[in-house]
């Protein structure tokens, strides 16, 4: 019998499974409880993919002979394939009790635990085995992998480098080392590690995909795209590579192609959460808000606590003016943020909470998660001393954009005897009239689209920039990661984002006492610098087309009072819309003139009007047009109705510049107090209501009193030339005084501190 078993085992080892199987069966016909024959016959079943049969046969062998360590190990392997994880781990542990020095068993146990995502247990298994054999490369690799998955990246790198000292050409270890380096933000080193892995194994699709991620993080998106394409040529259904290809295309502003890549990733893996989130985001930036909302809703079904998705869904529904879930989502978002959850981006929270405390908490969570500080402030010994203070304005919007409309005059007005002013542009190179004007306005214009955050920060250091002014904050297209590198000794949050950034590397926020009352300063991580009039820059050179269109040309009725609000539709809330509809009901023949933001929102607003017994035809929607023509048509409005909790910002400035009175309601947070700031600076504080009830009452009074409204319009026209709001030169002197004081404090070695410009 022993000879027959030896013959079968020999055939088995040579891969002659069928003859070996026949002999094992012959043995079992004569000796049904022959443990070795049962074990090996079960092993053949596993090799042939007959997992259940294999487990049953090997299980019988182990029952007969409980000391068969190889049988226990193979049984564990089969049980894992059947998803019977606890039983499998029990087999490994029983085998290790019999042979505690068996390194292969420790290795298999650790592998099994890693496969089950039981990372802590895998780490402990590796550490027990390494006490027996401290320099075992396979065990060190497994321990490094466990540490990587436990986010203990530096320890993982140490283990991977020990393995590479033994085997410098191990592509899997080089790939995993790259993952750990990337997680620490060391993308250049990670890229080098992936390149070494690919030098050993050019068809290593995981390394090609990870290389693409590193390249994207370094803003080398064209190369990232090529790396994804290489991976997909080898593995066409590689969902991760399709997703990362979409990321590279998105960063290259090829949104349609990015959308197709995310869709391809989701066809390969319908429950791929990261791809689904990216898909929703690209739909959002493409203006397909309804489809984006469906994507986010589906993602929340898969993962109810997925980071930032609830806030993204809330934003999409606001863009659609779809309010069925408004109150519920708003309350849920606020509670999650207060609990420290990553529920919303700071920008998406603005419409959910008017509380500066909530907004600060949200910003702190977001900044710590996505933009942690990467470097300490420059040491006092590194202070630069120039004849002129060097200021860098950072933005993606140096073209026809709301920020540029406000800031262009300031850029031109800066005193070149005292200041050297440069632009750091990370937006698209749009060849429009405003772009040309701005390029002429700056002393230097740096296009950094293809540079990484680290490279841009290094550029600012090389240019010895004294003050970096971030004009984006937490708005779309921001590059907060540049400031997280401490790109300049003084870093300022201004204009783009109406709130705190919650990051200790942003030193100051420029404000006024209307947008940030002194008692609210505690809710800003930055030191508050108060400008004396309004915090908002304006451009006194903005042109308005002289030819005002007729009412019929813009679809307005020839008579009747025109309430208007050209805010983006996401700022319209149910409470505000209720007031607007009551105004239409109480002012016969009046209409509400709104911006046509997207057709879904317009249709929703018409339905909401009908639900409030208002003829939807009394809502008139204005298409977008160039700035000069838009300002001219604003003259046809009678009263601009502001929104809350997010006011009109640039749009309020537009209206006042065009001579259209703005009625606002004072909110609690910065975003809800901007119009108040502007109205005080133009000498019309009576248009700032203290409550929604007062807002509604005042709107009704003005609509019913043409003489009173005419008097306000006349004052607005007169004040435009004499009050501070549109005095660009005056504003420039004030902001330069602020920059000078910041710089002087820094030169003296004093920490940032809040102050007021006299």
């Amino acid at each position: 019998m022993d000879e027959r078993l030896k013959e079968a085992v020999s055939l088995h080892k040579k891969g002659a499974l069928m003859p070996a199987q026949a002999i094992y069966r012959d043995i079992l016909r004569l000796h049904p409880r022959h443990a070795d024959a049962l074990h090996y016959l079960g092993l053949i079943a596993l090799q042939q993919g007959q997992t259940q049969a294999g487990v049953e046969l090997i299980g019988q062998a182990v029952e007969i002979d409980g000391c068969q360590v190889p049988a226990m190990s193979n049984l564990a392997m089969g049980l894992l394939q059947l998803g019977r994880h606890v039983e499998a781990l029990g087999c490994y542990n029983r085998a290790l009790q019999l042979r505690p020095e068996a390194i292969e068993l420790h290795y298999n146990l650790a592998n099994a635990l890693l496969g089950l995502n039981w990372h802590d247990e895998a780490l402990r298994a590796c550490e027990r085995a390494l006490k027996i054999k401290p320099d075992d490369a396979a065990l060190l690799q497994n321990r490094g992998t466990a540490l990587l998955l436990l986010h203990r990246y530096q320890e993982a790198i140490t283990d991977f480098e020990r393995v590479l000292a033994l085997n410098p050409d191990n592509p899997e270890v080089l790939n995993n080392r790259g993952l750990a380096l990337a997680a620490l933000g060391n993308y250049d080193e990670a890229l080098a590690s992936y390149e070494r892995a690919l030098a050993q194994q050019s068809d290593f699709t995981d390394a090609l995909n990870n290389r693409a991620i590193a390249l994207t993080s370094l803003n080398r998106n064209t190369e990232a795209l090529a790396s994804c394409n290489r991976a997909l040529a080898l593995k066409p259904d590689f969902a991760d590579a399709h997703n990362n290809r979409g990321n590279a295309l998105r960063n290259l502003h090829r949104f349609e192609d990015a959308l197709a890549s995310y869709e391809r990733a989701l066809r390969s893996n319908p429950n791929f959460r990261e791809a689904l989130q990216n898909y929703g985001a690209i739909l959002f930036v493409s203006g397909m808000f309804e489809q984006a909302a469906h994507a986010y809703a589906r993602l929340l079904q898969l993962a109810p606590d997925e980071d930032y998705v609830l806030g993204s869904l809330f934003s999409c529904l606001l863009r659609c003016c779809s309010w069925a879930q408004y109150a519920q989502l708003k309350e849920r978002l606020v509670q999650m943020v207060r609990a420290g959850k990553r529920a919303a981006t700071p920008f998406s929270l603005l419409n959910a909470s008017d509380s500066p405390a909530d907004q600060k908490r949200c910003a702190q969570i977001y900044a710590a998660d996505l933009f942690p500080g990467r470097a300490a402030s420059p040491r006092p010994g590194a202070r630069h001393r120039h004849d002129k203070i060097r200021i860098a304005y950072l933005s993606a919007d140096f073209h026809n954009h709301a920020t540029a409309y406000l800031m262009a005059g300031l850029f031109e007005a800066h005193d070149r005897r005292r200041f050297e002013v440069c632009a750091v542009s990370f937006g698209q190179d749009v060849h429009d009239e405003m772009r040309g004007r701005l390029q002429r306005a700056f002393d230097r214009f740096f296009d950094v689209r293809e540079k990484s955050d680290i490279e841009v920060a290094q550029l600012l250091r090389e240019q010895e920039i004294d003050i970096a002014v971030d004009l984006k904050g937490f708005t779309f297209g921001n590059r907060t990661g540049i400031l997280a590198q401490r790109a300049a000794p003084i870093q300022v949050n201004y204009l783009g984002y109406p709130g705190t950034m919650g990051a200790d590397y942003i030193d100051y926020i420029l404000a006024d006492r209307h947008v940030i009352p002194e008692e609210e300063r505690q809710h800003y991580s930055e030191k508050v610098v108060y400008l004396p009039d309004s915090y908002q820059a304006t451009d006194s050179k903005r042109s308005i087309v002289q030819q005002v269109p007729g009412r019929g040309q813009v679809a307005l009725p020839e008579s009747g009072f025109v309430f208007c609000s050209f805010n983006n539709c996401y700022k319209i809330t149910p409470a505000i819309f209720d007031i607007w509809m009551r105004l239409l009901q109480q002012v016969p023949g009046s209409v509400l003139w709104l911006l046509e933001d997207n057709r879904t929102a317009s249709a929703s607003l018409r339905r909401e009007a009908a639900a409030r017994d208002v003829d939807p035809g009394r809502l008139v929607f204005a298409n977008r047009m160039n700035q000069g023509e838009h300002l001219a048509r604003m003259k046809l409005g009678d009263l601009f109705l502001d929104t809350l909790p997010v006011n009109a910002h640039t749009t309020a400035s537009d209206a006042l510049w065009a001579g259209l009175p703005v009625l606002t309601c004072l909110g609690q947070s910065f975003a809800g107090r901007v119009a108040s700031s502007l109205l005080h600076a133009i000498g019309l504080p009576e248009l700032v209501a203290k409550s929604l009830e007062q807002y509604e009452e005042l709107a009704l009074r003005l609509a019913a009193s043409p003489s009173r409204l005419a008097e306000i319009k006349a004052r607005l026209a007169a004040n435009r030339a004499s009050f501070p709001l549109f005095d660009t030169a005056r504003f420039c002197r004030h902001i330069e005084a602020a920059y000078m004081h910041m710089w002087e404090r820094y030169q003296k070695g004093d920490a940032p501190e809040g102050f007021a410009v006299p």
Side-chain angles (χ1 to χ4, degrees):
M1 187 61 63
D2 288 343
E3 291 303 318
R4 290 285 285 159
L5 183 64
K6 287 179 183 178
E7 180 186 357
V9 170
S10 176
L11 290 166
H12 194 165
K13 287 180 178 178
K14 293 175 182 176
L17 300 185
M18 298 300 287
Q21 188 179 54
I23 296 173
Y24 294 143
R25 285 175 175 161
D26 286 344
I27 293 171
L28 288 169
R29 273 193 289 272
L30 296 172
H31 300 282
R33 290 177 57 79
H34 195 294
D36 286 333
L38 285 166
H39 171 206
Y40 295 138
L41 188 61
L43 184 57
I44 287 178
L46 292 181
Q47 291 171 303
Q48 292 175 332
Q50 300 170 22
T51 309
Q52 183 62 46
V55 164
E56 290 174 2
L57 288 165
I58 301 173
Q60 291 176 45
V62 170
E63 283 182 17
I64 294 165
D65 184 355
C67 295
Q68 278 214 26
V69 171
M72 288 181 191
S73 181
N74 287 329
L75 177 58
M77 180 174 63
L79 289 166
L80 285 172
Q81 291 175 15
L82 292 174
R84 292 160 62 179
H85 304 135
V86 175
E87 295 171 78
L89 296 177
C91 285
Y92 280 129
N93 286 324
R94 282 170 59 196
L96 282 166
Q97 287 174 356
L98 295 168
R99 289 177 57 187
E101 305 297 315
I103 290 298
E104 186 177 351
L105 284 175
H106 285 285
Y107 177 77
N108 288 341
L109 174 61
N111 260 343
L113 290 165
L114 285 172
L116 295 170
N117 293 323
W118 294 7
H119 306 139
D120 285 303
E121 293 84 350
L123 178 61
R124 286 193 289 271
C126 290
E127 288 176 341
R128 286 194 299 269
L130 285 165
K131 288 178 182 176
I132 301 167
K133 193 174 181 182
D135 293 322
D136 187 276
L139 287 170
L140 285 168
Q141 180 176 344
N142 270 356
R143 185 172 72 174
T145 303
L147 289 164
L148 172 66
L149 295 169
L150 288 167
H151 310 298
R152 292 164 60 177
Y153 302 118
Q154 195 57 59
E155 294 169 85
I157 291 168
T158 300
D159 272 354
F160 293 142
E161 289 181 346
R162 284 181 64 187
V163 177
L164 291 169
L166 299 168
N167 179 7
D169 299 329
N170 185 320
E172 187 174 345
V173 174
L174 287 164
N175 179 63
N176 286 345
R177 177 177 176 270
L179 289 172
L181 287 163
L184 292 172
N186 299 328
Y187 300 114
D188 283 308
E189 292 181 65
L191 181 61
S193 206
Y194 299 137
E195 299 281 11
R196 283 178 60 191
L198 288 164
Q200 300 304 317
Q201 185 181 335
S202 61
D203 62 350
F204 191 173
T205 53
D206 281 347
L208 284 166
N209 181 56
N210 292 330
R211 177 178 179 269
I213 295 171
L215 287 164
T216 300
S217 299
L218 292 167
N219 217 26
R220 292 162 59 179
N221 295 295
T222 302
E223 294 170 80
L225 182 60
S227 197
C228 288
N229 289 341
R230 280 178 60 191
L232 290 166
L234 295 164
K235 189 177 176 183
D237 290 328
F238 192 1
D240 280 343
H242 282 294
N243 178 59
N244 291 319
R245 183 175 187 272
N247 293 341
L249 289 163
R250 176 198 63 208
N251 294 344
L252 292 167
H253 289 263
R254 292 170 55 183
F255 294 150
E256 287 187 19
D257 293 333
L259 188 64
S261 280
Y262 295 136
E263 287 172 342
R264 186 68 179 80
L266 290 166
R267 283 200 298 275
S268 296
N269 180 1
N271 295 330
F272 188 177
R273 286 153 47 182
E274 184 183 343
L276 193 51
Q277 187 161 13
N278 288 332
Y279 181 57
I282 204 72
L283 287 166
F284 185 93
V285 300
S286 301
M288 294 183 274
F289 304 115
E290 194 170 17
Q291 297 96 312
H294 289 312
Y296 288 129
R298 183 175 155 218
L299 180 52
L300 286 171
Q301 289 178 334
L302 294 172
D305 295 323
E306 191 77 10
D307 290 352
Y308 309 112
V309 175
L310 190 67
S312 297
L313 174 61
F314 183 68
S315 293
C316 287
L317 294 174
L318 285 178
R319 291 279 184 176
C320 297
C321 294
S322 177
W323 299 327
Q325 302 177 66
Y326 176 80
Q328 173 193 352
L329 290 178
K330 176 181 169 182
E331 179 63 23
R332 191 172 157 203
L333 276 175
V334 170
Q335 293 306 319
M336 289 178 73
V337 167
R338 290 176 182 173
K341 303 288 183 63
R342 293 188 285 266
T345 66
F347 191 82
S348 63
L349 189 75
L350 294 179
N351 260 300
S353 174
D354 196 25
S355 160
D358 290 343
Q359 292 177 12
K360 181 182 181 182
R361 183 76 180 109
C362 184
Q364 288 172 327
I365 293 166
Y366 188 69
D369 180 34
L370 296 184
F371 306 107
R374 298 287 187 185
S377 300
R379 293 175 298 174
R383 287 186 175 84
H384 311 304
R385 295 190 181 276
H386 311 119
D387 293 337
K388 302 176 183 180
I389 297 174
R390 296 182 183 177
I391 301 172
Y393 287 100
L394 283 66
S395 182
D397 304 321
F398 293 122
H399 53 86
N400 281 334
H401 184 276
T403 298
Y405 297 146
L406 294 176
M407 293 291 291
L410 172 64
F411 298 147
E412 293 167 337
H414 271 307
D415 183 351
R416 282 346 197 246
R417 295 168 301 176
R418 296 187 299 151
F419 296 91
E420 186 176 318
V421 185
C422 72
V424 178
S425 174
F426 39 80
Q428 287 185 286
D429 184 13
V430 180
H431 298 287
D432 57 27
E433 184 180 350
M434 178 60 77
R435 179 70 158 213
R437 179 183 172 187
L438 295 180
Q439 286 177 323
R440 293 188 295 273
F442 287 105
D443 297 307
R444 284 171 291 171
F445 194 102
F446 297 106
D447 185 340
V448 298
R449 284 172 297 160
E450 297 184 1
K451 292 184 181 294
S452 69
D453 291 346
I454 293 173
E455 289 171 329
V456 179
Q458 184 59 34
L459 171 67
L460 267 63
R461 294 189 199 108
E462 290 169 357
Q463 296 296 319
E464 297 186 354
I465 297 299
D466 297 302
I467 303 174
V469 183
D470 180 20
L471 297 176
K472 289 300 293 180
F474 290 137
T475 58
F476 176 72
N478 75 77
R479 293 281 297 274
T480 306
I482 296 168
L483 300 166
Q485 305 290 334
R486 180 51 81 168
I490 302 167
Q491 301 192 145
V492 181
N493 170 17
Y494 178 55
L495 193 67
Y497 176 68
T500 183
M501 293 182 70
D504 59 8
Y505 47 79
I506 306 295
D507 304 302
Y508 296 99
I509 182 171
L510 293 173
D512 60 57
R513 285 188 168 85
H514 297 288
V515 291
I516 304 180
E518 292 205 25
E519 62 271 18
E520 299 290 349
R521 286 182 299 170
Q522 62 183 311
H523 301 307
Y524 293 79
S525 61
E526 306 89 344
K527 300 302 180 183
V528 179
V529 175
Y530 287 118
L531 298 178
D533 305 312
S534 175
Y535 84 101
Q536 191 184 88
T538 56
D539 178 13
S540 57
K541 299 177 185 176
R542 292 176 71 186
S543 62
I544 303 176
V545 172
Q546 290 189 351
Q547 184 67 41
V548 178
R551 288 171 64 126
Q553 290 176 276
V554 292
L556 290 172
E558 291 302 327
S559 62
F561 194 89
V562 179
F563 294 106
C564 63
S565 184
F566 291 111
N567 282 340
N568 285 314
C569 65
Y570 72 85
K571 297 184 181 182
I572 303 173
T573 62
I576 287 291
F577 195 73
D578 284 342
I579 292 171
W580 292 353
M581 294 303 97
R582 288 197 294 269
L583 290 172
L584 291 184
Q585 289 170 333
Q586 294 176 79
V587 180
S590 62
V591 295
L592 177 62
W593 196 16
L594 301 170
L595 183 69
E596 177 95 79
D597 193 284
N598 64 86
R599 294 188 182 279
T600 301
S602 301
S604 295
L605 290 171
R606 289 189 178 101
R607 285 194 299 272
E608 293 289 345
R612 291 162 175 79
D613 296 322
V614 173
D615 178 2
R618 295 177 70 184
L619 273 58
V620 179
F621 291 93
N623 294 324
R624 293 185 183 274
M625 57 174 53
N626 73 56
Q627 187 67 7
E629 292 175 342
H630 173 59
L631 293 172
R633 74 176 170 186
M634 274 188 160
K635 294 177 180 293
L636 298 174
D638 291 307
L639 182 64
F640 186 106
L641 298 174
D642 200 10
T643 48
L644 199 70
V646 181
N647 285 174
H649 295 182
T650 306
T651 308
S653 180
D654 290 346
L656 295 170
W657 181 247
L660 174 61
V662 174
L663 173 63
T664 192
C665 183
L666 191 65
Q668 295 182 52
S669 68
F670 192 132
R673 303 175 71 91
V674 170
S676 171
S677 168
L678 303 184
L679 286 164
H680 278 85
I682 198 67
L684 294 172
E686 67 269 31
L687 293 181
V688 181
K690 302 299 190 295
S691 67
L692 288 177
E693 292 77 16
Q694 188 183 36
Y695 168 88
E696 182 174 356
E697 179 186 336
L698 186 52
L700 192 58
R701 280 211 314 268
L702 290 171
S705 178
S707 60
R708 172 68 177 135
L709 190 57
E711 185 268 329
I712 288 174
K713 285 189 173 184
R715 280 174 53 211
L716 173 57
N719 292 359
R720 201 178 85 156
S722 58
F723 272 67
L725 181 60
F726 295 113
D727 189 340
T728 304
R730 175 187 173 96
F731 181 86
C732 183
R733 291 194 300 273
H734 291 153
I735 201 169
E736 287 181 346
Y739 293 153
M740 182 68 75
H741 189 74
M742 295 174 193
W743 181 81
E744 288 172 349
R745 286 192 64 84
Y746 178 71
Q747 289 296 324
K748 290 188 292 186
D750 293 339
E753 191 54 73
F755 61 91
V757 174

